[in-house]
Amino acid sequence: AQSVTQLGSHVSVSEGALVLLRCNYSSSVPPYLFWYVQYPNQGLQLLLKYTTGATLVKGINGFEAEFKKSETSFHLTKPSAHMSDAAEYFCAVSAPTGGGNKLTFGTGTQLKVEL
Amino acid sequence: GAVVSQHPSRVICKSGTSVKIECRSLDFQATTMFWYRQFPKQSLMLMATSNEGSKATYEQGVEKDKFLINHASLTLSTLTVTSAHPEDSSFYICSARLVAGPNTGELFFGEGSRLTVL
């Protein structure tokens, strides 16, 4: 069984500040990990994913995440927040069978960016 | 990138009626599509896995007679909410699995369909 915990349902940062969204996972097998972004009344867009290989993964819009097995974490970061980053962010985990079949999502973190 | 389109994006219906939501992969073939339900300010819950040419696989607790899924072609899956009730009001999102190309296995999500049952 797999699960995802996102710490902090709401995160607020100032424009230009560091963004850090936390994600911890639980998996009985080496996981595939994903971060998705959702804008209001829209579907999900993939930001980045970790499957195998390099543990620091770079995604779109300047986001990156680091897979830390010892900490069972996959935190999402961005050095400098932009107003357009305000959205809901979901961390997700799946088992490495077909790369992204049944995703288990975290409860989401709403990111607010203030001037 | 691969595009998945849902229709309608919003639908309002009366209690007791049935509503069909379509999920199309516009520029790729998808043998597998997934249907999710999202309650306000909550995460996505997988409802079922839709496989082209075969019966859908439903998650525990999801009524298959209530939420009918049909995956008749490699580019179209439909979700029909039968005899809808107000508690069925939700945001329904589909995703399609890319089975060819460099990003094989990656999921692409539709824009979602908001159902309101009066």
Side-chain angles (χ1 to χ4, degrees):
Chain A
Q2 298 161 305
S3 66
V4 174
T5 302
Q6 290 184 242
L7 296 176
S9 59
H10 292 81
V11 171
S12 184
V13 300
S14 299
E15 189 175 34
L18 171 71
V19 175
L20 171 60
L21 304 183
R22 299 179 185 275
C23 172
N24 288 89
Y25 70 91
S26 174
S27 178
S28 57
V29 297
Y32 285 179
L33 295 159
F34 306 80
W35 274 101
Y36 287 88
V37 60
Q38 183 182 32
Y39 295 98
N41 294 310
Q42 294 188 28
L44 276 67
Q45 181 181 9
L46 179 66
L47 279 176
L48 49 79
K49 64 180 178 181
Y50 168 79
T51 53
T52 59
T55 57
L56 181 62
V57 181
K58 294 185 184 298
I60 61 172
N61 301 339
F63 285 94
E64 61 182 38
E66 186 171 10
F67 170 60
K68 292 186 177 181
K69 183 179 178 180
S70 61
E71 299 178 6
T72 61
S73 69
F74 191 58
H75 302 330
L76 181 71
T77 61
K78 181 174 181 177
S80 177
H82 192 272
M83 296 297 289
S84 60
D85 294 326
E88 186 89 19
Y89 291 81
F90 292 96
C91 182
V93 62
S94 75
T97 54
N101 271 342
K102 295 176 65 172
L103 292 174
T104 300
F105 287 89
T107 50
T109 299
Q110 182 72 44
L111 175 64
K112 183 178 180 181
V113 182
E114 300 174 320
L115 289 172
Chain B
V3 178
V4 175
S5 178
Q6 280 183 243
H7 178 79
S9 57
R10 292 176 180 272
V11 57
I12 300 173
C13 70
K14 294 182 178 180
S15 185
T17 61
S18 295
V19 174
K20 179 184 287 187
I21 301 171
E22 294 185 346
C23 178
R24 292 181 184 274
S25 55
L26 297 185
D27 50 1
F28 67 100
Q29 293 183 330
T31 56
T32 304
M33 292 184 176
F34 302 89
W35 286 96
Y36 300 84
R37 183 174 181 177
Q38 185 180 31
F39 291 101
K41 301 189 183 300
Q42 294 188 30
S43 188
L44 282 74
M45 301 298 296
L46 180 64
M47 298 174 65
T49 302
S50 171
N51 298 297
E52 188 268 336
S54 64
K55 292 183 178 180
T57 303
Y58 290 81
E59 295 300 302
Q60 190 173 7
V62 178
E63 299 176 61
K64 62 180 181 180
D65 295 330
K66 173 74 171 177
F67 299 99
L68 299 178
I69 291 173
N70 183 275
H71 194 156
S73 78
L74 288 172
T75 60
L76 175 64
S77 176
T78 61
L79 168 68
T80 301
V81 182
T82 62
S83 187
H85 288 93
E87 57 265 31
D88 299 324
S89 299
S90 191
F91 195 52
Y92 293 89
I93 303 176
C94 73
S95 68
R97 180 185 166 203
L98 190 65
V99 294
N103 294 315
T104 299
E106 183 172 341
L107 292 181
F108 293 89
F109 286 79
E111 317 96 316
S113 299
R114 183 163 301 284
L115 170 63
T116 302
V117 184
L118 303 177

